[in-house]
Amino acid sequence: MVSDPRKPLLRLEPGKPQGRLTRDNPGFPQGPEKFERQAQGQRHGPKFQRLADVLARDPAGLELKQDPTALAPERLLVFEVRGSIQDFARAITKVVGLELIDEEDLPSDEDKQPVAYLLIPDAKALEQILRLWSIWLETGEVPTGFTPWRNVFDCLRDLRPWGPSDRVQGTDRDILSAQIAERADDELITLEIELVFRAQAKAGRSNETEVETAIQSRGGNIISRARLDDIAYHALLARLPVNAIRAIIDRAQSSVAGLDPVMHIRPQSVATALDVEDMLPIGAVAQSEELSPDAILALLDGVPVAAHPLLRQHLIVEDLFGLEPEAMVNQRVHGTAMASLIIHGDRNRPEAPLPRRIHCIPVLGAADAFPEDRLIVDVIYQAILHMRESAEPTARHVIIVNLSLGNRHRQFQGQMSPWARLLDRLAYRFGILFLVSAGNIIRDFEIPGYTTSVDLEGATPDARSSALIQALANIQADRRLLAPGETVNGLTIGAKNSDCVSAADRVFARTNVDPYPWLDTSNPSSALGPGFAGSVKPDILMPGAREHLRVTASGSGAAIRVAPGRPGRGAGLKVAAPPSSQGLEGAESYTNGTSAATSVASRTAHRIHDALEAAYGEAFLYLPPRNRAVLLKALLVHPARWPDATASFVRRLLGPHGRGQAPRQKDNIRRFVGYGSVDPDEAVTCAADRATFWATGELGPEQRLAVSVPIPAAYGGKAMPHSLSATLAWFTPVLAGRRSYRTVRMKILDPDDIDRLSVKAHGDQPDLNQTNRGSVYTRSWRGDGAAVVAADMSLPLWVQREPDQGTRLDEAVTFGLAVTITMPGVNEIYDQVRDRLRDPQRTHVR
């Protein structure tokens, strides 16, 4: 049934925390298989022996810096292990002076392959590691107190010193090679150099000085620097001449890539672009009533046209970084379009504007590019601190931040970007819901089986959709999320292949290859998941326009090549745009992609806040910012569902087929759609046959609590389709140095008496081992049998905090919970549960 704004979301009060329930859970994988000890000795013995030889030759290691395989002072060692990184993290605490710098969790289809980076500060620490290795190799045991080291040695895949090949990744080399092509040797190129983060500021300054001296000696200079203790980030923005860049590309030990304090060398971050097409005069502009200046949503984006008739009542623009003067008015595309979508939504579908102003801090300058003289990570950090924690905070009540931005030079390949780590830390610290675009991959690609555009256009809708899904699956590794889309605490938004273009306007689509005539999925350019440690990404899909394809190469017997088409009147979201000529205040145009989808998601989160404020007033507004932010997170994801037809289509097409392959089939589905697409109206209000509840609370270490969900009498005794769904969201603390990145895990326990409702967990949702890897946990049950519902029945839904990963966190962690009961066509559902909640004197029994 259509959502009814007169039926607000219903509040539930969580019960008192109790101890965690311990029981088998097939969703959490078993420990890894150990390697045989004799084989480990043969495989890794020479490496440990080499470290021992280095120690014997020169305990201080002072003369070994030119040897790329030797151990220099404070040298990073790379441990590749099988299984959880936590055994390794616990192990290093037993060796005085060792420092875990970083870790990354890289799941594959067969096995988890975490990588840990360990800083060896002196000969004594190395000597102790070698002693433990020798004892274990001889006896299979280690001294009391060092048991985790035995687990490390059992599962050790590889051990090597950190070197130039680690500091300069393959994709970064390719970009740098393209940047220096046909340039003079002395021409300067900008780089981002991330240093090994040292917890002690003095050691960090020493590292920075060493790198700066090396850069200057090669004819370069430092433009900017940033040290952010919150996320263990220390980086330099530097310019180096082409000949020095060439040595870095070659991974020469004599280059800057050979310096021990250097962790990574990467090209300067480049902002993702936004297309707007088909300029037209501004349509009708509804005059808003007096707007609240107390913003709850901030837009970090390009400089908007603040005087635009669609925007001038609604924006508070704070030019914190002085970017407005350099941004020509007719180039202020990105910020103007995103502000328009947040305030008004898609102008093809008239909606009321938001009742509050939004706070805008430009972080893009001329031509909608990142500032040339600042690290974008530092820019975002300073913007958030300025709004929330400066001497005079300018937007202290902001709890939603829209980031329709990404670094197109940084695709997620398993290792968290500093930008994503920053968002995760700030989300927890301030209670902010970051909404981040998944990224648009606009490179062309081939579609096997078709050689001409005529063949592709003439294919049946089913055949064309099959060919495109298969083509994208074949190149999924090249279409991963763009940083910071891998954020764990934020929500990553993909672009759904849909819009509100009328049938009359659809004929104006610029290209005539409609890839998905009927399939409900992400558009072809939307970046694919999964996220960090195999988490579900993108989280949800929002409208990003019905993207058509343009043919870039065909004929000659080769497979046809296509690329995502540009937006326009026939396939796009209608937005405010800069004026196309002098003297005009502005125009309207059309855009598409994940940036647009993210702004639609931000608008929806704001609408949820508005609806809860209207229904509950101060009782809602006085909730702490973190409670409201995680609640919005849960409620925004909650309506997401895998479209049945799409899930079946992808499962049938991509498989894999056979017994026990369901998790891998689901993995293929979630790469494209995450948790599913969201109907914004369903996220905001209820309907006569659908009741959505919300609750928020806190859980300490290894605690659980019950949220009692009233079951309406009309739910029982009818053999009709019905369902129960629940979504849990939280912000996990993240630790500097990433001893354990995602510290806190939570989940919803399957209710013991769920069978009484004649529902069961269904197959069209991520499985337990997929949904428990991030900071959103969803479960859905459905059925069509007759439920057994007693008078005044309630179902206790248990929320549980699992054992913390790594070091135990004593503080309580805030959660938001959304629960929905629906029985299509039974219009008593909402009223019955609302009446139950209005009467606090009624006794609620199961």
Side-chain angles (χ1 to χ4, degrees):
M1 177 170 285
V2 176
S3 296
D4 185 346
R6 297 168 301 178
K7 292 179 167 52
L9 309 178
L10 301 169
R11 185 176 187 177
L12 299 176
E13 293 292 343
K16 294 183 178 180
Q18 302 178 20
R20 182 177 72 92
L21 180 66
T22 303
R23 62 185 181 190
D24 293 337
N25 187 341
F28 292 93
Q30 297 179 348
E33 181 182 354
K34 299 176 181 179
F35 292 110
E36 197 273 324
R37 180 159 50 95
Q38 184 176 0
Q40 287 291 80
Q42 294 172 350
R43 182 183 298 116
H44 303 303
K47 300 170 187 176
F48 278 97
Q49 185 58 50
R50 181 168 179 79
L51 295 179
D53 293 343
V54 169
L55 184 64
R57 288 202 312 267
D58 185 357
L62 294 177
E63 298 181 4
L64 297 171
K65 289 197 175 186
Q66 298 307 312
D67 182 353
T69 62
L71 186 72
E74 300 188 330
R75 187 69 175 272
L76 279 175
L77 289 182
V78 182
F79 286 77
E80 294 183 9
V81 297
R82 173 187 280 179
S84 171
I85 203 71
Q86 298 314 314
D87 283 336
F88 186 84
R90 286 191 292 270
I92 66 162
T93 64
K94 305 295 183 180
V95 181
V96 177
L98 289 189
E99 188 175 350
L100 183 62
I101 296 299
D102 211 351
E103 59 87 3
E104 57 184 274
D105 204 9
L106 297 171
S108 69
D109 287 340
E110 294 80 25
D111 196 10
K112 292 179 64 179
Q113 302 179 49
V115 177
Y117 310 118
L118 185 64
L119 195 66
I120 308 294
D122 53 33
K124 184 176 181 181
L126 174 59
E127 191 173 39
Q128 190 163 7
I129 294 176
L130 294 171
R131 183 176 66 85
L132 293 172
W133 166 262
S134 298
I135 294 173
W136 176 82
L137 201 59
E138 182 177 345
T139 67
E141 298 295 332
V142 291
T144 302
F146 293 91
T147 301
W149 274 108
R150 181 187 62 196
N151 299 336
V152 170
F153 296 148
D154 279 339
C155 301
L156 186 63
R157 286 180 174 275
D158 196 12
L159 169 70
R160 67 179 190 278
W162 187 253
S165 61
D166 300 289
R167 297 183 180 108
V168 189
Q169 300 297 312
T171 53
D172 297 325
R173 292 177 76 199
D174 294 341
I175 295 170
L176 291 173
S177 295
Q179 288 182 341
I180 68 171
E182 300 182 6
R183 294 198 179 192
D185 281 356
D186 59 352
E187 191 171 348
L188 294 177
I189 303 293
T190 305
L191 291 171
E192 294 182 10
I193 301 176
E194 187 176 348
L195 306 181
V196 174
F197 183 82
R198 301 307 311 278
Q200 293 188 352
K202 183 178 179 180
R205 285 193 299 271
S206 177
N207 277 0
E208 183 179 312
T209 299
E210 180 181 346
V211 175
E212 182 174 9
T213 299
I215 288 171
Q216 292 173 345
S217 70
R218 291 163 171 81
N221 60 79
I222 303 298
I223 306 171
S224 183
R225 63 197 79 213
R227 177 186 164 93
L228 309 181
D229 290 10
D230 266 358
I231 59 168
Y233 175 70
H234 191 179
L236 305 173
L237 189 64
R239 289 194 182 102
L240 275 168
V242 166
N243 56 3
I245 301 292
R246 191 173 292 113
I248 290 172
I249 294 171
D250 292 339
R251 294 169 172 164
Q253 183 65 28
S254 59
S255 72
V256 174
L259 299 175
D260 287 332
V262 173
M263 187 78 177
H264 297 291
I265 299 177
R266 296 192 173 97
Q268 185 176 18
S269 299
V270 174
T272 48
L274 184 78
D275 285 333
V276 294
E277 296 288 340
D278 288 353
M279 292 287 182
L280 63 159
I282 300 172
V285 180
Q287 294 300 312
S288 301
E289 298 178 1
E290 186 175 352
L291 300 174
S292 170
D294 191 7
I296 62 165
L297 185 150
L299 172 65
L300 304 186
D301 209 281
V303 180
V305 180
H308 196 290
L310 287 169
L311 306 183
R312 58 188 170 208
Q313 286 185 277
H314 302 273
L315 292 182
I316 302 170
V317 180
E318 184 179 13
D319 190 19
L320 179 62
F321 304 106
L323 299 174
E324 188 169 5
E326 66 184 60
M328 297 176 63
V329 174
N330 63 354
Q331 294 181 346
R332 298 179 182 183
V333 174
H334 209 295
T336 301
M338 296 306 101
S340 175
L341 282 167
I342 292 170
I343 294 164
H344 300 284
D346 180 2
R347 291 267 294 166
N348 277 324
R349 179 179 182 257
E351 297 181 63
L354 295 179
R356 295 174 184 261
R357 292 184 179 179
I358 65 174
H359 197 90
C360 177
I361 295 183
V363 297
L364 302 178
D368 279 339
F370 291 143
E372 294 183 354
D373 60 348
R374 298 288 296 269
L375 290 154
I376 186 59
V377 174
D378 188 41
V379 169
I380 300 299
Y381 182 72
Q382 299 303 331
I384 298 298
L385 260 61
H386 182 75
M387 286 191 295
R388 291 290 302 267
E389 202 178 58
S390 61
E392 296 183 4
T394 56
R396 67 172 72 241
H397 299 298
V398 160
I399 59 171
I400 306 166
V401 172
N402 185 95
L403 268 176
S404 292
L405 303 172
N407 177 8
R408 58 188 174 94
H409 278 173
R410 183 73 187 271
Q411 278 191 282
F412 175 64
Q413 298 293 346
Q415 186 182 22
M416 293 286 288
S417 66
W419 195 351
R421 287 159 50 196
L422 174 68
L423 300 188
D424 289 339
R425 173 59 181 162
L426 294 177
Y428 180 78
R429 178 176 168 183
F430 292 119
I432 293 175
L433 173 59
F434 287 96
L435 294 161
V436 183
S437 55
N440 304 312
I441 312 299
I442 59 175
R443 296 186 296 271
D444 66 350
F445 57 94
E446 70 175 27
I447 302 183
Y450 295 88
T451 59
T452 69
S453 58
V454 173
D455 291 340
L456 187 60
E457 293 167 27
T460 65
D462 190 81
R464 197 186 311 157
S465 296
S466 296
L468 187 61
I469 291 290
Q470 185 65 66
L472 291 173
N474 292 343
I475 56 172
Q476 57 186 312
D478 298 325
R479 306 185 78 80
R480 300 292 298 273
L481 305 170
L482 299 184
E486 72 274 23
T487 170
V488 171
N489 279 334
L491 289 181
T492 305
I493 314 300
K496 180 183 176 181
N497 201 59
S498 68
D499 53 33
C500 294
V501 171
S502 67
D505 281 346
R506 186 70 72 193
V507 298
F508 294 102
R510 293 185 179 281
T511 51
N512 54 6
V513 181
D514 184 352
Y516 306 125
W518 62 271
L519 199 61
D520 187 3
T521 185
S522 54
N523 65 29
S525 67
S526 191
L528 305 178
F532 180 72
S535 59
V536 174
K537 290 288 177 180
D539 293 278
I540 59 174
L541 302 183
M542 282 291 199
R546 191 162 163 181
E547 193 173 71
H548 286 55
L549 297 174
R550 58 185 177 87
V551 176
T552 60
S554 66
S556 303
I560 190 173
R561 295 191 69 84
V562 299
R566 299 169 70 88
R569 179 179 172 184
L573 278 60
K574 191 176 181 182
V575 297
S580 57
S581 61
Q582 297 296 327
L584 297 179
E585 292 178 310
E588 288 191 272
S589 187
Y590 297 88
T591 191
N592 66 355
T594 60
S595 290
T598 302
S599 292
V600 175
S602 293
R603 172 180 171 80
T604 305
H606 200 299
R607 289 180 60 205
I608 295 170
H609 191 282
D610 297 339
L612 292 175
E613 180 182 355
Y616 298 96
E618 293 181 351
F620 173 70
L621 290 178
Y622 284 173
L623 289 173
R626 188 179 293 167
N627 291 70
R628 285 183 288 135
V630 295
L631 184 59
L632 295 179
K633 181 177 178 179
L635 288 168
L636 187 57
V637 176
H638 183 58
R641 298 288 182 274
W642 285 358
D644 291 346
T646 300
S648 299
F649 184 85
V650 174
R651 187 181 283 114
R652 183 177 70 252
L653 178 66
L654 301 182
H657 305 290
R659 187 181 182 89
Q661 296 295 339
R664 296 182 69 183
Q665 293 172 0
K666 292 181 177 184
D667 185 58
N668 283 327
I669 299 167
R670 70 189 179 118
R671 285 181 191 275
F672 287 91
V673 301
Y675 285 113
S677 57
V678 170
D679 177 348
D681 291 337
E682 187 178 338
V684 175
T685 58
C686 299
D689 58 0
R690 184 186 74 244
T692 295
F693 309 91
W694 63 273
T696 181
E698 293 182 337
L699 281 175
E702 299 193 45
Q703 287 185 336
R704 64 177 179 135
L705 57 74
V707 177
S708 187
V709 181
I711 306 299
Y715 207 63
K718 301 177 180 69
M720 298 173 58
H722 58 285
S723 65
L724 170 71
S725 59
T727 303
L728 176 69
W730 65 99
F731 294 147
T732 177
V734 291
L735 303 181
R738 294 170 33 182
R739 190 174 301 273
S740 168
Y741 191 71
R742 187 191 62 151
T743 305
V744 171
R745 300 179 303 176
M746 294 189 186
K747 67 178 180 180
I748 300 166
L749 302 180
D750 280 15
D752 290 332
D753 291 345
I754 194 72
D755 292 345
R756 294 181 62 185
L757 299 182
S758 294
V759 293
K760 62 181 179 179
H762 60 85
D764 284 345
Q765 60 180 321
D767 69 19
L768 293 175
N769 197 37
Q770 295 166 349
T771 195
N772 67 17
R773 291 178 177 271
S775 57
V776 173
Y777 189 100
T778 69
R779 299 292 291 139
S780 184
W781 302 268
R782 64 189 181 196
D784 53 14
V788 179
V789 178
D792 289 346
M793 176 180 173
S794 290
L795 182 76
L797 204 61
W798 288 90
V799 176
Q800 178 162 289
R801 177 169 164 182
E802 293 296 281
D804 294 343
Q805 296 179 288
T807 305
R808 174 186 166 110
L809 184 76
D810 291 331
E811 63 188 281
V813 172
T814 305
F815 68 85
L817 178 69
V819 183
T820 292
I821 291 178
T822 183
M823 181 174 274
V826 179
N827 295 331
E828 298 82 13
I829 298 295
Y830 182 87
D831 288 343
Q832 288 185 0
V833 294
R834 179 201 56 197
D835 292 343
R836 289 268 303 276
L837 293 174
R838 280 178 176 173
D839 186 356
Q841 303 303 317
R842 300 187 79 149
T843 302
H844 292 261
V845 296
R846 288 177 55 183

